Structure formats: structure tokens, C-alpha cells
């Protein structure tokens, strides 16, 4: 168990809808990262937050947004969902270089 | 553009054998190279990591070999066990703590 928690574990929704994925980092970790894992694209970095501030952006679509709250938990918001957004979404946290991943949220868009 | 190339895509090794997975990179700004292990339905778990000022790092049965001039690094799993059957990912960090991952290698260790 990495100490990173993610909810929900599974999410099934329809195209055009909006969902929110939640992540609680390990105790004491200030950095939170979001990754998308799909069969064709592999594991791709989406966005990083450090102590509430956006620090780095990767291949994140404009329809996606994230934030980190004062208690350091983070939420990833996905809107106007498309079939191609179906994937595993992982959150990771770190205090330094080592990133620890949560169990992921499997999103299915029908 | 794939910045970290990983091979092979899949690997079958007999129990007790050595599993070898290779990665190559182009970006010389990468300064931290971790390997992750992922079981089905689970998140990636950090296995071992190396920095470019070291040519080899060993932790138990797992060893990373690093060749800075060739821009290549590899994971060796000694005495491979069926419990090692998983997908392995190499990754690279450019110093901003954002990881670029290889495509992954599915390892199957046959009993």
C-alpha cells in the first residue's frame, strides 16, 4: 500500500458528461501528480501541483482541469467526456524525487 | 514523440532465469531514472531508481545498469520468480519531477 488513496475506484458515465476524480496524497507529501494510462498511449503525465499551486503541465486536454486544496488533496475534473477518455487515471504523490502511485480510477465512457 | 523507448514489449523467462529489460532516451536533461512494477488492477509501484552519476545500482534481485554515453539503461531481475510476473515501466525525470514513461514490458515468469 503506497499510502495514496483515490476515489472512486470505478466510474462509468456517458459521453458529454463531467466527472471528478479525487486523490489524497501520502501524509506529508506536498506534490501531487495526475497520470492517464491507456493501451495506446501508455502512461502519460497530465499535471502536477505543489502545495496548492500548479507546477507543471503535460499532455492535459483543455477539457480537463485539476486543483489541489489546502488540505493537499487533489481533484481532477474531466468534462465533455469522449469515448477516447476511457482510461485508468492515477494520482501520485511525492516529497522528493520518488513518486508513489495510488490504485487508480478506471473511467469508462459509454 | 516518444522520449523513452523500452524493449522488449513482452518477455517470457523461466523460473530462476535472468530477466532483462532495456530503455533508451534522447533527452540529456533527464537526471533520474526509476523503474516501476505494475500488477493487473494496481497502480505502478516504485521498484528501484538510479541517477546518471552511477553506473549500477543493486537492490536485492533487482539491478539497474546505466550507460550515460549510450543514453541507455536496463533492469536485470536475477533468479526470476513467478511472483515477478508483471508489467515493468522505465521512466525518466528531467529535473522537474515529471516522469516520462516507456511503453512497458509484460514479463511472464514460467514455473
Amino acid at each position: 500500500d503506497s499510502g495514496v488513496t483515490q476515489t472512486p475506484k470505478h466510474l462509468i458515465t456517458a459521453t458529454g458528461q463531467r466527472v471528478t476524480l479525487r486523490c489524497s496524497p501520502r501524509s506529508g507529501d506536498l506534490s501531487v501528480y495526475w497520470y492517464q494510462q491507456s493501451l495506446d498511449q501508455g502512461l502519460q503525465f497530465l499535471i502536477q501541483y505543489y502545495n496548492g499551486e500548479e507546477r507543471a503541465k503535460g499532455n492535459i486536454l483543455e477539457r480537463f482541469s485539476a486543483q489541489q486544496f489546502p488540505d493537499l488533496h487533489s481533484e481532477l475534473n474531466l468534462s465533455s467526456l469522449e469515448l477516447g477518455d476511457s482510461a485508468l487515471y492515477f494520482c501520485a504523490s511525492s516529497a522528493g524525487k520518488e513518486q508513489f502511485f495510488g490504485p487508480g480510477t478506471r473511467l469508462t465512457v459509454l | 514523440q516518444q522520449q523513452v523507448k523500452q524493449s522488449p514489449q513482452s518477455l517470457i523467462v523461466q523460473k530462476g532465469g535472468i530477466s532483462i529489460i532495456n530503455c533508451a532516451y534522447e533527452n540529456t536533461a533527464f537526471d533520474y531514472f526509476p523503474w516501476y512494477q505494475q500488477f493487473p488492477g494496481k497502480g505502478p509501484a516504485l521498484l528501484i531508481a538510479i541517477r546518471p552519476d552511477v553506473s549500477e545500482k543493486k537492490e536485492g534481485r533487482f539491478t539497474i545498469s546505466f550507460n550515460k554515453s549510450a543514453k541507455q539503461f536496463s533492469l536485470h531481475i536475477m533468479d526470476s520468480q513467478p511472483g515477478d510476473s508483471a508489467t515493468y515501466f522505465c521512466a525518466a525525470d528531467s529535473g522537474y519531477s515529471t516522469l516520462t514513461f516507456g511503453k512497458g514490458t509484460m514479463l511472464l515468469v514460467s514455473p
Side-chain angles (χ1 to χ4, degrees):
Chain A
D1 184 2
S2 67
V4 178
T5 60
Q6 288 186 249
T7 57
K9 190 164 184 170
H10 300 278
L11 201 48
I12 301 174
T13 188
T15 54
Q17 295 299 304
R18 173 189 167 95
V19 297
T20 297
L21 313 184
R22 184 188 167 102
C23 166
S24 292
R26 294 187 320 157
S27 177
D29 285 357
L30 299 180
S31 281
V32 168
Y33 312 79
W34 286 97
Y35 292 87
Q36 181 193 58
Q37 186 175 37
S38 60
L39 279 175
D40 53 343
Q41 296 294 325
L43 258 169
Q44 290 211 315
F45 166 71
L46 296 178
I47 196 164
Q48 178 199 2
Y49 277 82
Y50 178 82
N51 202 20
E53 299 289 327
E54 181 185 304
R55 176 161 277 193
K57 250 182 177 177
N59 299 319
I60 188 166
L61 300 171
E62 285 192 12
R63 302 183 284 109
F64 295 2
S65 65
Q67 54 184 329
Q68 186 179 27
F69 295 87
D71 67 352
L72 300 177
H73 91 271
S74 179
E75 291 180 357
L76 179 67
N77 300 295
L78 315 177
S79 61
S80 303
L81 285 167
E82 302 174 359
L83 295 177
D85 298 327
S86 295
L88 269 166
Y89 291 85
F90 288 104
C91 164
S93 75
S94 75
K97 279 290 193 185
E98 296 180 341
Q99 293 186 29
F100 297 88
F101 282 71
T105 292
R106 181 175 292 279
L107 173 66
T108 302
V109 183
L110 302 175
Chain B
Q1 180 188 358
Q2 185 185 358
Q3 294 192 52
V4 179
K5 292 185 178 180
Q6 183 172 347
S7 64
Q9 197 170 359
S10 63
L11 182 60
I12 300 175
V13 172
Q14 284 200 329
K15 180 181 174 182
I18 302 174
S19 304
I20 302 174
I21 304 170
N22 301 298
C23 285
Y25 63 96
E26 291 294 325
N27 188 349
T28 54
F30 288 145
D31 67 354
Y32 173 74
F33 301 87
W35 285 89
Y36 282 83
Q37 178 189 57
Q38 186 178 27
F39 293 104
K42 304 288 186 183
L46 180 63
L47 201 56
I48 187 172
I50 198 168
R51 291 184 185 270
D53 54 347
V54 176
S55 61
E56 186 175 281
K57 183 174 180 181
K58 184 175 180 178
E59 287 184 4
R61 295 185 293 110
F62 301 91
T63 300
I64 300 179
S65 297
F66 190 87
N67 186 330
K68 189 174 180 178
S69 60
K71 291 186 283 187
Q72 294 174 349
F73 58 110
S74 59
L75 176 70
H76 291 63
I77 306 175
M78 312 300 287
D79 186 28
S80 299
Q81 298 297 313
D84 296 330
S85 297
T87 301
Y88 293 81
F89 294 92
C90 63
D93 177 352
S94 64
Y96 295 99
S97 296
T98 59
L99 294 176
T100 300
F101 283 88
K103 291 288 190 183
T105 296
M106 289 182 60
L107 170 65
L108 176 64
V109 180
S110 59

